[in-house]
Amino acid sequence: MGDRGGAGGPRIGVFVCHCGSNIGGTVDCPAVAEYATTLENVVVARANIYTCSTVGQEEIKKQIREHGLDRIVVASCTPRLHEATFKRVGEEAGLNPYMVHMVNLREQCSWVHQGDKERATEKAKELVRMGVARARMLEPLTAQELGVERRVLVIGGGIAGIQASLDLAAQGLEVVLVERLPSIGGRMAQLDKTFPTGDCAICVLAPKMVEVLHTPGIRLMTYSEVREVAGHAGSFDVRIERKPRYVDESKCVGCGICAENCPGGAPSEFDMGIGRRKAIYVPFPQAAPLKYTIDPASCIHFKTGKCGLCRKNCPTGAIDFEMKPQEVRVRVGAIIVATGFDPYTPHVHGYWGYREFANVITALELERMINASGPTRGEVRRPSDGAAPKRVAFIQCVGSRNWKATSNKYCSRVCCMYTMKLAQLLKEHYQDISTSVYYIDIRAFGKGFEEFYHRVRSMAGVEYIRGRPARLTEDPRTKNITIRAEETLLNKITEREFDLVVLSIGMVPSEGTEALGRMLGIPRSPDGFFQEVHPKLRPVDTSRDGVFICGCAQGPKDIPDTVAQAKAAASSAAAMLARGKVILEPTTAEVDEALCEGCGLCASLCPYGAPSLVETGSGKKARIQKALCHGCGTCAAACPRLAITVRGFSDEQLESEMAAALPGEGEKVENGRGVGG
Ligand SMILES: Cc1cc2nc3c(=O)[nH]c(=O)nc-3n(C[C@H](O)[C@H](O)[C@H](O)COP(=O)(O)OP(=O)(O)OC[C@H]3O[C@@H](n4cnc5c(N)ncnc54)[C@H](O)[C@@H]3O)c2cc1C
Ligand code: SF4
Ligand code: SF4
């Protein structure tokens, strides 16, 4: 191979990766490397088994130094996985990191053309040719550094948000923990025991809730919601609304005299509507903070202007019917989203007779009933007549693993396990009870889970029936429920009668997830939960720098996995802030003010609010706030005056890449943006 760099021209190195057999099994990598050497300006090309390995990285550095390369093309996997790796490698060998270009031979070639090596190899050559053409037009760019606020906003006060807040505070960071309900605790506070160890949920949780209250670095804002987020990693400006409790938190001592005297009331949300609460209430006895809240929808004073018994009886004068929403602004360096899940509501799609037959309940309702501090003081009762059930059926996968458009395709990951726990608890409470579990298959993948499954399954009076029920009917006299199902292990259709049917409901994204995602500029995956950047390597990062996710906000999971993720999110946020600075990517939009006519289209379209119009000596012009710009290119594509360029993605670079895709490399293409050949 000769030196094709040419005097003064770009000097390009091409590195083709086998990625083990991921690419090498389908693409003839040595042939692609050989082909690359024939391209203009390519000085050297190599094929490596694993380019990302130490050996592969050292090889790149060696070639850069030996051949005086001023840019490289790495033809391997997706840039999402290794762009940062190869930029660093280039930088360590003296290149500007933005002179590194990646070509995706794995997702965009070998994985989609398995079984056709010849044509896959031809396509790989074309992709490399395009990459080299793009690399010729690369320009060095410089990243900017910005300072950071050493304060973190945590949204959601379930076990995930609580754990993340405590971990951050332990590292000396300030935390603002925002919970939309009157108390922190989340769903875990509603549970009785927890699988597989049988720990009492609130006994484990309550000390952490109290610790939040007593940790000086944590500013807890309950009954509050985040309304606006502006700024960028290292410095987000957040507007929070404190909803009026109508009870002055600084005066309320949690004595409960107000509630004792309150004639108003409503079904208790915390008890899943089984019990009732007063109009002035704390959601549960261990609430943190233990401060009362008035629900105007059920308060007689708010409905009629009369009553006021709470105000008359409150010994500290804490009741304030005139209280208004308050706005609080905070500046934080990072944000952790821990907004959890909502239980799937089966009546939405009319499944399984829920809300149609009295004796069909959900597992969360059973959790509240079987809980000693729940609405029935730990007694399980049939809603129809208050009798203790003798024959209980569980139906698994309600709202999960169903490919009908009206349901969720994913597995909710906890229902198999909590059903075992509830079956065991029922047996502990009532010796003579029998439990039948209708299941598709059992997923018991965690530490100690399989052992727990076998223990419960072998208990007398517990049976597992493989088969999804086809129909539930109610006896109009007894209110018993008959389940008709195909029992696939017996290969027959059966009809069995039960006193109580429990639906093992799955998890759905918590209410407001979509709006919060829009506000924060973070995407959701097809299941509706927040999307991590990479499921294995960056499971708590989002595509927006400085915003992290954890717990069930990211997807269904149990408490141990939630806590592990919360700790990961806290340490990722802390690590970012510990560096004391954030790097601002230079691949942002740039306005040519001479061309800009100030139409404002860019400002109206940008999903991140980066452009704004400013008055200049020559009229209104768009300006891009670089710290907010994600380089998505929306504005550049929309600008009718072609006044916007995204650095690193200029028209010239993209045209050059496209031209190389066509026969006769080097030809310019007409692309509607007015640049011809
Ligand atoms: C019936 C049932 C039984 C279960 N049993 C077990 C068990 O035995 N063992 C086990 O390990 N796991 C169990 N789980 C799973 C367990 O409940 C979850 O793993 C855990 O609750 C997840 O915690 P989280 O903090 O991520 O979410 P959540 O508990 O949902 O907490 C999220 C918090 O964020 C708040 N929030 C939501 N949106 C906002 C917003 N926009 N602004 C401010 N705050 C917001 C919510 O009010 C809530 O307080 C069970 C689940 C169910 C449904
Ligand atoms: S005004 Fe009356 S109804 Fe309203 S919270 Fe006070 S006591 Fe209850
Ligand atoms: S490139 Fe995208 S993020 Fe940047 S200003 Fe334009 S539209 Fe906004």
Side-chain angles (χ1 to χ4, degrees):
M1 181 204 354
D3 189 324
R4 299 173 58 89
R11 296 180 65 79
I12 305 175
V14 177
F15 300 90
V16 182
C17 184
H18 286 251
C19 193
S21 60
N22 273 305
I23 298 172
T26 302
V27 170
D28 183 345
C29 295
V32 176
E34 183 60 34
Y35 168 75
T37 62
T38 67
L39 298 171
E40 195 62 32
N41 304 116
V42 173
V43 177
V44 60
R46 292 278 185 273
N48 294 306
I49 301 298
Y50 289 109
T51 311
C52 60
S53 67
T54 312
V55 177
Q57 293 187 24
E58 288 308 315
E59 172 70 12
I60 294 177
K61 289 186 207 168
K62 180 169 163 258
Q63 298 301 335
I64 291 174
R65 291 189 186 114
E66 266 182 20
H67 293 276
L69 304 178
D70 59 13
R71 61 204 71 202
I72 58 169
V73 172
V74 183
S76 56
C77 51
T78 159
R80 276 180 69 194
L81 189 62
H82 276 316
E83 190 172 50
T85 310
F86 295 121
K87 275 185 173 165
R88 179 189 43 77
V89 170
E91 200 170 15
E92 283 170 7
L95 280 191
N96 178 289
Y98 297 90
M99 301 301 271
V100 175
H101 180 63
M102 280 186 79
V103 170
N104 188 346
L105 285 193
R106 196 176 69 181
E107 282 81 349
Q108 292 175 5
C109 188
S110 64
W111 278 359
V112 286
H113 299 299
Q114 284 172 16
D116 193 348
K117 191 161 188 168
E118 198 177 317
R119 289 171 69 197
T121 302
E122 281 315 301
K123 178 172 170 182
K125 288 178 184 172
E126 286 172 15
L127 290 172
V128 167
R129 189 170 72 227
M130 291 167 69
V132 167
R134 171 88 175 264
R136 275 189 209 112
M137 312 302 287
L138 292 179
E139 285 171 348
L141 299 172
T142 309
Q144 228 182 300
E145 287 181 359
L146 298 175
V148 296
E149 291 287 332
R150 285 181 53 79
R151 189 178 302 115
V152 182
L153 169 71
V154 178
I155 311 175
I159 181 63
I162 290 173
Q163 187 63 56
S165 301
L166 291 173
D167 281 18
L168 289 162
Q171 297 183 60
L173 290 161
E174 280 181 52
V175 179
V176 180
L177 171 56
V178 175
E179 164 59 52
R180 71 173 161 202
L181 296 180
S183 170
I184 53 172
R187 296 284 169 193
M188 186 175 169
Q190 293 179 287
L191 307 179
D192 184 34
K193 303 276 171 56
T194 56
F195 63 75
T197 47
D199 296 304
C200 153
I202 198 71
C203 311
V204 178
L205 181 64
K208 283 188 182 285
M209 293 163 61
V210 174
E211 201 182 334
V212 166
L213 295 180
H214 294 152
T215 300
I218 301 178
R219 178 178 178 190
L220 174 60
M221 294 175 68
T222 47
Y223 215 43
S224 302
E225 282 191 56
V226 174
R227 294 289 181 219
E228 195 183 339
V229 176
H232 51 82
S235 179
F236 291 105
D237 289 309
V238 183
R239 184 164 65 83
I240 301 163
E241 183 188 313
R242 298 195 86 145
K243 296 177 273 184
R245 280 181 188 262
Y246 305 107
V247 175
D248 184 337
E249 274 188 49
S250 65
K251 292 184 183 162
C252 178
V253 290
C255 65
I257 295 171
C258 53
E260 279 167 25
N261 289 284
C262 173
S268 158
E269 296 83 357
F270 186 77
D271 287 331
M272 303 307 292
I274 298 172
R276 288 183 70 77
R277 59 157 171 82
K278 295 295 182 71
I280 187 162
Y281 69 106
V282 283
F284 53 104
Q286 302 85 347
L290 193 62
K291 306 288 177 187
Y292 277 72
T293 303
I294 295 178
D295 163 27
S298 53
C299 166
I300 295 164
H301 174 83
F302 278 95
K303 286 197 279 193
T304 67
K306 300 203 178 96
C307 188
L309 281 171
C310 53
R311 184 161 58 187
K312 203 181 286 173
N313 286 287
C314 174
T316 63
I319 310 297
D320 176 4
F321 292 124
E322 307 307 320
M323 199 177 258
K324 298 276 177 292
Q326 273 178 6
E327 196 175 281
V328 177
R329 286 179 182 272
V330 289
R331 180 167 289 177
V332 297
I335 299 174
I336 294 180
V337 184
T339 46
F341 71 98
D342 280 342
Y344 176 79
T345 44
H347 62 286
V348 172
H349 306 300
Y351 284 147
W352 318 121
Y354 183 68
R355 297 267 164 93
E356 188 185 348
F357 307 143
N359 293 325
V360 177
I361 63 170
T362 69
L364 207 46
E365 288 164 18
L366 180 59
E367 288 274 0
R368 291 313 301 145
M369 263 199 239
I370 211 163
N371 193 307
S373 63
T376 55
R377 303 262 166 256
E379 297 296 333
V380 178
R381 293 287 177 248
R382 286 174 19 122
S384 68
D385 53 13
K390 295 261 183 282
R391 300 162 301 171
V392 178
F394 284 85
I395 299 178
Q396 296 307 109
C397 300
V398 173
S400 312
R401 303 181 65 198
N402 189 330
W403 285 69
K404 284 189 188 138
T406 51
S407 195
N408 301 310
K409 297 184 179 71
Y410 54 84
C411 167
S412 288
R413 299 185 65 199
V414 293
C415 327
C416 286
M417 295 308 299
Y418 73 56
T419 295
M420 292 169 208
K421 167 190 77 176
L422 289 168
Q424 189 184 43
L425 286 172
L426 281 172
K427 206 67 198 161
E428 279 171 19
H429 280 54
Y430 307 100
Q431 296 292 308
D432 57 344
I433 208 162
S434 73
T435 302
S436 308
V437 181
Y438 286 87
Y439 72 104
I440 312 173
D441 49 42
I442 293 296
R443 297 184 168 184
F445 50 85
K447 194 170 181 177
F449 288 12
E450 186 68 16
E451 296 86 329
F452 182 55
Y453 169 47
H454 282 279
R455 214 161 50 237
V456 172
R457 199 182 169 134
S458 62
M459 286 168 76
V462 175
E463 66 171 342
Y464 273 72
I465 300 171
R466 203 176 84 181
R468 198 187 259 274
R471 198 179 64 211
L472 275 71
T473 46
E474 183 193 57
D475 182 325
R477 191 179 55 82
T478 62
K479 303 292 179 195
N480 289 344
I481 308 290
T482 296
I483 297 182
R484 183 180 166 85
E486 184 193 359
E487 297 193 20
T488 54
L489 292 179
L490 301 179
N491 200 18
K492 65 179 188 187
I493 308 258
T494 60
E495 291 199 348
R496 299 178 186 231
E497 194 182 71
F498 297 96
D499 304 323
L500 185 72
V501 171
V502 182
L503 304 179
S504 296
I505 44 164
M507 298 183 179
V508 295
S510 65
E511 197 188 328
T513 295
E514 188 181 352
L516 186 64
R518 262 199 314 271
M519 191 194 303
L520 293 168
I522 58 172
R524 295 178 306 139
S525 40
D527 57 15
F529 293 93
F530 289 120
Q531 169 93 58
E532 66 285 351
V533 168
H534 192 280
K536 297 184 194 75
L537 303 181
R538 297 177 65 191
V540 296
D541 298 54
T542 67
S543 57
R544 183 160 189 192
D545 286 346
V547 181
F548 304 90
I549 48 177
C550 62
C552 290
Q554 183 264 343
K557 57 181 67 67
D558 61 15
I559 296 162
D561 285 359
T562 295
V563 169
Q565 243 192 11
K567 286 180 157 293
S571 67
S572 297
M576 188 193 107
L577 300 187
R579 284 193 289 274
K581 61 185 183 196
V582 287
I583 306 290
L584 201 59
E585 282 293 324
T587 44
T588 53
E590 211 169 38
V591 179
D592 180 344
E593 288 194 6
L595 293 176
C596 175
E597 279 184 340
C599 70
L601 193 62
C602 51
S604 69
L605 291 175
C606 173
Y608 307 102
S612 55
L613 290 183
V614 292
E615 206 59 67
T616 70
S618 41
K620 279 196 170 144
K621 302 285 174 190
R623 289 258 168 90
I624 310 282
Q625 203 181 328
K626 297 207 179 315
L628 297 185
C629 176
H630 282 49
C632 70
T634 305
C635 54
C639 176
R641 297 281 302 145
L642 310 181
I644 304 184
T645 300
V646 180
R647 291 195 292 171
F649 297 87
S650 69
D651 285 354
E652 292 70 25
Q653 289 166 352
L654 299 178
E655 284 161 12
S656 163
E657 189 174 7
M658 282 187 284
L662 303 171
E665 183 202 348
E667 286 171 8
K668 290 243 171 184
V669 284
E670 276 303 335
N671 71 349
R673 297 205 66 184
V675 183

